[in-house]
Amino acid sequence: MMTRQAGQTAPQPHSGPATALPPRQPRTAAAGPRGGQVLTTKVGLQMPSRMAYEEWERAGRQLADVLDSSSWWLGDWLVYGKDHYTDRYQRGIRTAGLSYQTLRNYAWVSRRFELGRRRAALSFQHHAELASMTVEEQDRWLDRAEQERWTTRQLRTAVRAERHGDQRPGGPAEPIRRLEVRGSRLQRWHAAAEQLGVDFEQWVTAALDSAAASTLEDLGSLEERVERAGPTGVQVLRAPAGGGSADERAGRTRPVAVGA
């Protein structure tokens, strides 16, 4: 059995009542694990000298579950911060030592799937593959992936096959636009998609949708403030030029990605 030393977890969707992990018990590395337990520490695992293959395999599944769940947890954490601490949430990200861009991707997927629509039988990456779709399409593909027990790759292949099947000869085709980019930039985009375990085309679509949603949301907020000022009101908006820390300036930069 693997013992996870952490605080309480958030409720899991579609997975029954919430469970609480045991509180951290201080132990020294020299003490080693007790009675076949696999103990997690901040810098690694403490594993017994002998353990059955089934126990080792079970520990791997539990570790994978924690890794997958942490994507949802971090995404929901950032969504909450953006909604409640609009002027301070980036400071919290820096204090926690987390990557803003990675969190932003997690948060975008979390916003696209309300807690009650997430499938515990499917991974975070399954949901990320479908995040750019409509709610109806998302639910349809989630149902199929759950029923067929598809891996993320199998889901991606099925989605691609259906998309290509929809492009029938003679039918109205949307124009395709191409943009030339430097190879070094394209390599970075591919590396980012690989890091998240997402198909490159899916990552491009997600990055564009995320940037567009964030921009339109900011513009909507700006228009609302101007409207509240009234026709005779005066509103001065100052965009800091070089002001703030490097992290703050970087946090205001929105990613733009295109296909190739």
Side-chain angles (χ1 to χ4, degrees):
M1 181 181 67
M2 182 177 70
T3 302
R4 289 177 287 179
Q5 300 176 352
Q8 290 189 342
T9 64
Q12 293 296 296
H14 297 333
S15 58
T19 59
L21 297 177
R24 178 181 293 274
Q25 298 295 328
R27 284 173 56 79
T28 62
R34 288 192 300 249
Q37 288 183 330
V38 177
L39 303 180
T40 60
T41 73
K42 188 174 181 180
V43 294
L45 292 178
Q46 295 182 21
M47 306 180 71
S49 57
R50 292 184 179 180
M51 62 188 306
Y53 171 83
E54 291 75 15
E55 292 294 325
W56 175 81
E57 185 184 72
R58 185 180 302 115
R61 289 200 303 268
Q62 291 178 344
L63 288 170
D65 287 344
V66 171
L67 180 63
D68 188 68
S69 297
S70 67
S71 299
W72 288 118
W73 298 337
L74 289 169
D76 291 337
W77 177 76
L78 182 59
V79 168
Y80 185 92
K82 292 184 71 172
D83 291 344
H84 291 79
Y85 316 111
T86 55
D87 57 335
R88 292 177 292 168
Y89 78 96
Q90 288 195 24
R91 185 179 71 189
I93 293 172
R94 291 194 302 272
T95 302
L98 299 168
S99 164
Y100 175 70
Q101 186 56 56
T102 299
L103 286 178
R104 186 171 180 171
N105 292 334
Y106 292 162
W108 184 72
V109 176
S110 295
R111 280 196 188 277
R112 296 290 294 164
F113 292 93
E114 296 179 356
L115 195 64
R117 294 182 53 240
R118 301 173 188 175
R119 311 296 177 89
L122 301 175
S123 71
F124 180 87
Q125 294 305 326
H126 281 91
H127 294 76
E129 289 288 337
L130 310 174
S132 62
M133 298 182 178
T134 64
V135 171
E136 292 74 17
E137 289 177 316
Q138 289 172 352
D139 288 340
R140 178 169 65 88
W141 282 109
L142 287 174
D143 287 340
R144 291 188 62 184
E146 199 167 16
Q147 292 165 6
E148 300 291 337
R149 297 184 179 181
W150 282 340
T151 64
T152 304
R153 184 180 295 275
Q154 289 172 322
L155 171 61
R156 184 186 309 144
T157 300
V159 171
R160 279 184 171 180
E162 181 173 289
R163 284 176 176 171
H164 293 161
D166 287 342
Q167 297 174 2
R168 300 180 180 87
E174 295 185 4
I176 298 176
R177 299 286 185 263
R178 294 185 180 276
L179 178 65
E180 293 185 1
V181 297
R182 293 183 181 275
S184 58
R185 177 175 292 177
L186 197 59
Q187 288 174 1
R188 290 190 64 193
W189 295 347
H190 274 287
E194 258 183 47
Q195 185 69 24
L196 292 176
V198 179
D199 177 69
F200 176 72
E201 293 179 8
Q202 181 71 22
W203 181 86
V204 168
T205 303
L208 282 171
D209 285 342
S210 177
S214 180
T215 299
L216 294 174
E217 182 180 331
D218 290 346
L219 287 176
S221 176
L222 172 60
E223 290 174 357
E224 184 180 351
R225 297 202 307 272
V226 172
E227 185 177 349
R228 284 202 303 266
T232 59
V234 177
Q235 183 153 339
V236 180
L237 300 176
R238 294 186 177 88
S245 66
D247 287 341
E248 289 172 334
R249 292 196 300 275
R252 290 192 293 266
T253 302
R254 294 185 174 82
V256 177
V258 297

